[in-house]
Amino acid sequence: MSHYEAPIREPLVLGDKSYHDITEDIAKPIEGAANKNWYIAFYISLAAMLWGFGCIFYTVGTGIGVWGLNKNIGWAWDITNFVWWVGIGHAGTLISAVLLLFRQKWRMAINRSAEAMTIFAVFQAGLFPIIHMGRPWNAYWVLPLPNQFGSLWVNFNSPLLWDVFAISTYLSVSLVFWWTGLLPDFAMIRDRAVKPFQKKIYALLSFGWSGRAKDWQRFEEVSLVLAGLATPLVLSVHTIVSMDFATSINPGWHSTIFPPYFVAGAIFSGFAMVQTLLGIMRKVTNLEDYITRMHVEYMNMVIILTGGIVAVAYATEFFIAWYTGSPYENYTYLSVGAATGPYAWAFWSLITFNIITPQLLWIKKFRRSFTITFIISIAINIGMWFERFDIIAIVLSKGHLPSTWWRFEPTFVDVGIFIGTIGFFFVLFLLYARTFPVIAQAEVKTILKSSGEYYKKRSEQGIPTKPAIVVANTVVKKEDSDNNLNG
Amino acid sequence: MYQFSGKLKTFSLALIILGVIGIAFSFYNGSQKTIEDAKHVIEASSNDGHGGSHGESQNDGHAIEAPKADHNTSGVHQNVENVDKTMSGHGAHDDNSHAEHVLHQLQNRPWSAFYVALFFSLGITLLVLAFYAIQRVAQVGWSVVILRVMEAITGNLLPVSILMIVVVIASVMHLNHLFPWMAEGTFDPTSENYDPIVDGKSWWINSTGFVIRSIVYLLIWNAYRFFIRKGSIKEDTANDGNKTYKRNYNASVIFLFLFMITETTMSWDWIMGLDPHWFSTLFGWYVLSTLLVSALTVIAFFTIYFRSKDLLPGINDSHIHDLAKFMFGFSVFWTYLWFSQFMLIWYADIPEETTYFVARFTEYKLPFLGMVVMNFVFPILLLLNSDFKSKPWFVFIGGIVILAGHYIDVFIMVMPSTVGANWFFGIPEISSLCFFIGLMIYTTLRSFSKANTIPKGNPFLKESEHFHYYNIEHSEEGSADHH
């Protein structure tokens, strides 16, 4: 890759930073002590998490009947939350894998946190397929293990089984991808550590990384291969999640556009969550020079793009539902029935938060404003939750037979578990922000001299950003003169 | 500047003339078909039909024609009955109306052959334009040296748009039977051709709307092409602090916004409308993906050609490698969408959707499965290797298979609906292909000769000239090319 960069591109690292400054800035939150605000946030999250765990134990101990489900609406908050959390996780892989394939340098300041978000979100998502089971203690039956029932096997035709493979593969690949990228950064913390215990921990975590040329070469090859594998993976995971619905024959669920449309929605909501988290993190960890306005704007552009794709998909769904000529479609998702029925509030929340609000980002001033971005990102997260709720609950509430029409009311347990997962997510994320290098320093250092503000200015003035490469031929070597070595 | 080579001019004109002669012959031959010919075809196939696979495929032929032939049923259940009738054989059909239907299919053949090649050519050109707009909007650094190549290919847009308008008008004027809903009496409850399902969709499916929409799509695309070509040439000499560049950027954003909508509706009108009873929400993006891969391949072809003539200074194997990566990536993406659509319809097996694939799977089995091999297995095996992707001749050979595979894809989207079981790859298809290949070569080279081969004023030009992907060895270049 060329090191020349067009002057028209905005800098990605602000200020007059050296390699050492980057190290200092990124290591600071790990090496310092947590402040009061961190503890307040942590305890609130912990309380929510414990409350959620209580609700989960209550459900498993008492029975699924403590939720608001009924015999017609067998999926509601559980699967809504599942799809929502999986969707959030997708932006992390997109940022680290797809943007790597597209050689987007701006990903470097955000990929670490986005991947952390992926992993923690997939943890939350992974809870729901287990706890929404009637008999979660038999959950291991979904695995194709040889057994004493005459080798009773699973049926590979169910998308719910594909989910098992998709989510577990997704989690493991994301984890490996993330950890590989962390090795040089853990090594950096290890090398700086003064306390023996800390040194020991980070020595363990960094797997003896010593940063030799051969290691770096393989490191880059592995990253590229993993990015190439993670990209189809990220598409297929949410595709398989979407097939939970699209393979059915329910009007409103059976739709061929679901696979790409769910993926676009996942990137949309995932990026919104990255905006929410990084909007706070850049402030509290003083990383404003790395997560700049430019980064926020780029992410907003991805949000407009994926939001646009989602909007086209809604329009398509709406149009084709009418175009089918099937009267059943009219009662369901995104059609006249949904917009005017008992769930009209949920439908219009979706339209408002997902389609209308993000359009504000077309305005450059809004797109570059941290406050407005933060507000819109939260709106999108709410809107995307409603999207999944609408798809699931509205469709199930009005099926083919009018005698099965019913409504869904959540109980406090439904809500409690959802709040619990949010708490759990933030517990993990807060711990991560205190112990992990939240920005991939090794990567940011590779773009400092091409995309750093200071160096960009220098190269515009014609001052070289790097010492000139000296072609040392034998004659020069023998003379061994200092005059021949530039800088 | 590039001088349109005399040899290629002759070659492309020869292709065009050959194509015109072949097309004229096919139309002459097609219009000569009579009801007697149709009866011969039916008889021949029912003689074959005493057993064996051919009889089976003839039976299933009715699944496609049935929606038009059955007019007494209503609602979505009609398709279910069609399938039942297909199972029970020929009995339900009146001999003459059946013969008339087969006659229409026979007469459709030259039209369909022309339409497939036309749509493929138009779609490729359009997607080159869209890919070009994406390069501008995404401020892509590496591809600047080949922007003029993409611009040149879009020179094909205007002539194919005009031909598209001609076909659209001809269809509305009942000169062919491509779109079954255009048949006389489809919307008239007193007619025996009355089709309540299509009538229920008349808000969208009607001749006036169809023509207006078609013109609007083509106008939008051509307007952007016209504007951006002018703007791009202006950029070369503008020197106005990137003002022209920014205006081009904004125009590309607007175009992509409109493109995303018009591409979807275009595929409903021009392709999905061939089967007015069938629907799939994914269809628009599926069409998009097939055209996108083909467009990338065509870009790679012309880039490789111009490079071999030393017309693109600054281009190296890394650029070819990037194009091949796109060809590879979007081949997989096409497969993803193809499989998603196919699998979801196969899995749920709802009769009114399944008929689409039943017809294709039984009557077009070889091309249907063959294209999956050509569009997926072939590229994924051959273009995975980084060294292979940077070899121009290798990319060229791979590209030929990809283009052929996606031609078959469009063929399978169109033919089962228009000619049914009476398909063949013969003079009408080959001459239409010749015509449009010749046209594309001619318009592209002509367009390429009218401007600098490199967009000199583009702010990212230097990035593109210095572009070097780290693991490409540039085997065919001198060491002087390394930066």
Side-chain angles (χ1 to χ4, degrees), chain A residues 1 103 157 239 254 256 323, chain B residues 201 280 322 336 347 353 468:
Chain A
M1 252 175 272
R103 301 193 288 260
N157 290 342
T239 289
H254 178 68
T256 48
Y323 187 84
Chain B
K201 306 176 184 185
S280 167
D322 262 24
Y336 163 62
Y347 195 108
E353 293 178 17
H468 180 256

Side-chain angles (χ1 to χ4, degrees), chain B residues 84-103:
Chain B
D84 289 342
K85 276 185 187 160
T86 308
M87 305 295 181
S88 63
H90 296 234
H93 297 286
D94 172 45
D95 257 8
N96 267 331
S97 83
H98 180 47
E100 194 192 332
H101 183 70
V102 173
L103 173 66

Side-chain angles (χ1 to χ4, degrees), chain A residues 128-346:
Chain A
F128 288 100
I130 309 280
I131 60 174
H132 91 307
M133 287 181 175
R135 298 182 182 85
W137 48 90
N138 284 341
Y140 70 97
W141 285 11
V142 303
L143 302 174
L145 301 170
N147 54 56
Q148 292 181 318
F149 298 104
S151 262
L152 184 63
W153 221 242
V154 285
N155 184 341
F156 286 97
N157 290 342
S158 165
L160 301 184
L161 185 69
W162 309 339
D163 270 346
V164 174
F165 301 128
I167 302 292
S168 53
T169 312
Y170 185 48
L171 180 63
S172 19
V173 172
S174 303
L175 203 58
V176 170
F177 197 8
W178 187 51
W179 207 275
T180 314
L182 273 162
L183 294 179
D185 289 13
F186 278 146
M188 178 269 280
I189 306 288
R190 169 199 69 197
D191 295 345
R192 289 171 55 92
V194 280
K195 294 177 218 147
F197 179 70
Q198 207 183 23
K199 197 156 194 99
K200 188 141 195 130
I201 293 292
Y202 286 101
L204 272 174
L205 295 178
S206 61
F207 293 179
W209 176 266
S210 58
R212 287 170 305 182
K214 198 69 198 168
D215 296 346
W216 277 115
Q217 188 229 334
R218 286 178 178 145
F219 176 89
E220 295 208 351
E221 292 274 335
V222 164
S223 306
L224 200 62
V225 169
L226 281 178
L229 288 174
T231 304
L233 187 64
V234 78
L235 262 79
S236 69
V237 168
H238 221 66
T239 289
I240 286 171
V241 170
S242 82
M243 285 173 180
D244 294 349
F245 311 102
T247 52
S248 76
I249 54 162
N250 294 1
W253 279 9
H254 178 68
S255 173
T256 48
I257 207 172
F258 268 29
Y261 146 63
F262 265 53
V263 173
I267 297 163
F268 182 54
S269 69
F271 264 84
M273 191 57 117
V274 177
Q275 293 277 37
T276 314
L277 293 176
L278 292 189
I280 303 169
M281 202 172 79
R282 63 187 292 281
K283 273 252 178 273
V284 296
T285 53
N286 295 317
L287 293 170
E288 282 119 321
D289 286 340
Y290 304 95
I291 301 164
T292 66
R293 249 177 232 288
M294 198 64 241
H295 291 85
V296 170
E297 187 178 6
Y298 281 143
M299 285 194 275
N300 279 333
M301 285 174 169
V302 177
I303 288 177
I304 296 178
L305 173 69
T306 48
I309 294 174
V310 170
V312 171
Y314 288 166
T316 306
E317 286 270 320
F318 194 38
F319 175 81
I320 300 287
W322 166 80
Y323 187 84
T324 58
S326 161
Y328 299 113
E329 294 280 355
N330 282 340
Y331 285 111
T332 52
Y333 178 55
L334 271 182
S335 57
V336 188
T340 54
Y343 288 106
W345 57 275

Side-chain angles (χ1 to χ4, degrees), chain A residues 11-17 288-290 292-293 452-454:
Chain A
L12 295 172
V13 181
L14 299 183
D16 176 11
K17 298 277 180 204
E288 282 119 321
D289 286 340
Y290 304 95
T292 66
R293 249 177 232 288
E453 188 184 22
Y454 174 72

